Amino acid sequence: MNKYLQRFLRRRSINLCSVAVFFGLLMPGLSGAAEPVAVCYISVEGAGARTGINSTNALAWQNGEGLKTCLASAVPGTSIYVAPGDYELRNRIQWDKSGEPGRPIRLIGLGSTDVQIGDYGQSILTTRRDRPTLSGTRPRTYSPETASEGSNFIQFENGVHHVDISNFNTLNFRTVISADKVSTRAISVTNLYAENVRNLLSITAGCQKDTCEFTATDWVGSNLHVLGVSKRVVRAEGLQNSTFQD
């Protein structure tokens, strides 16, 4: 290749790169990166333009893909709203986004927050249906062979912090919210109803004797109600500075 052609190609390469940078700065949506959002709305079927910017343009759930889309755009202070309805989830949601003090990332089920509880020991527990109900893949009929089967709802990634989750019905999950062998802090779970689950919350820090590989601190759980849990309401290992109450 002669030297004139080499110079031409070098100049053309620089110009093309400059154009790409220019458009990436002025029109970041072209880069393929998710745009940060303050709110994101989800409904069962979606609505309008399905952009998630408000309830009349909600994203479709689509086996959790709508929630994944919202999470991809979430930043500290983002609120993700899920409309009342029945939602199916066959694969867990890998949650890797964090908020910050005073600006958590919130996942909020819209609708009624009322829960009616029967007398203790009678296994009578009903919840309002006019809020989101998420269903997993755990078999409804219990047997020792299928006790550990089923999907999880949310699996927190290592290092996640400042997340609030509230106001959901959850059915047929192995574990509703899992933070197993990861470090987490400042997680709030409130007004959650679970039926036919192995664990409502599973929070383990990989502890062996007096040493824990991970840390789990500043969790808050309140107004948690369960029916048909086969193992634990809250599985906790190495959890510190945290409170849970009915």
Side-chain angles (χ1 to χ4, degrees):
M1 183 182 299
N2 64 52
K3 61 182 180 181
Y4 299 105
L5 182 57
Q6 289 175 338
R7 289 175 184 171
F8 173 79
L9 291 176
R10 279 199 296 268
R11 288 198 299 270
R12 178 61 57 87
S13 177
I14 292 172
N15 290 337
L16 289 175
C17 290
S18 300
V19 170
V21 170
F22 174 79
F23 278 100
L25 290 174
L26 295 185
M27 305 177 68
L30 295 179
S31 66
E35 292 293 324
V37 296
V39 295
C40 193
Y41 286 81
I42 303 168
S43 65
V44 175
E45 299 294 337
R50 297 188 178 182
T51 58
I53 61 173
N54 51 41
S55 59
T56 57
N57 291 282
L59 290 168
W61 174 255
Q62 294 182 325
N63 189 35
E65 292 302 316
L67 178 52
K68 293 177 184 178
T69 299
C70 288
L71 282 174
S73 301
V75 294
T78 294
S79 294
I80 302 171
Y81 297 103
V82 182
D86 294 323
Y87 298 81
E88 293 185 359
L89 183 65
R90 295 183 295 277
N91 303 303
R92 66 189 179 189
I93 302 296
Q94 295 289 139
W95 189 299
D96 62 352
K97 291 298 186 74
S98 296
E100 60 187 30
R103 301 179 66 209
I105 294 176
R106 295 181 174 92
L107 176 62
I108 304 169
L110 298 174
S112 173
T113 61
D114 295 339
V115 176
Q116 299 174 342
I117 307 170
D119 294 334
Y120 177 79
Q122 293 186 3
S123 296
I124 299 173
L125 183 61
T126 59
T127 187
R128 296 288 295 270
R129 299 293 293 177
D130 53 348
R131 67 177 184 178
T133 297
L134 305 171
S135 298
T137 61
R138 189 168 192 256
R140 292 287 298 179
T141 303
Y142 172 82
S143 71
E145 292 76 20
T146 62
S148 298
E149 292 183 5
S151 56
N152 295 350
F153 174 24
I154 288 174
Q155 171 69 53
F156 284 123
E157 297 282 353
N158 191 41
V160 168
H161 56 88
H162 293 94
V163 173
D164 293 354
I165 298 173
S166 63
N167 206 38
F168 288 92
N169 305 327
T170 59
L171 313 174
N172 311 326
F173 286 100
R174 184 180 187 276
T175 297
V176 178
I177 297 176
S178 175
D180 288 334
K181 295 186 178 180
V182 296
S183 293
T184 54
R185 61 185 172 88
I187 308 295
S188 174
V189 181
T190 61
N191 205 28
L192 199 66
Y193 168 82
E195 182 178 320
N196 186 39
V197 300
R198 183 175 175 86
N199 304 295
L200 178 57
L201 304 178
S202 184
I203 311 159
T204 63
C207 299
Q208 297 292 332
K209 296 183 179 180
D210 296 329
T211 303
C212 294
E213 183 179 358
F214 303 95
T215 59
T217 61
D218 301 312
W219 278 69
V220 175
S222 64
N223 201 20
L224 307 176
H225 303 285
V226 295
L227 176 65
V229 172
S230 65
K231 199 164 187 180
R232 307 175 184 92
V233 177
V234 179
R235 179 191 182 198
E237 174 190 275
L239 190 60
Q240 302 175 18
N241 194 34
S242 301
T243 59
F244 292 89
Q245 60 184 19
D246 190 0

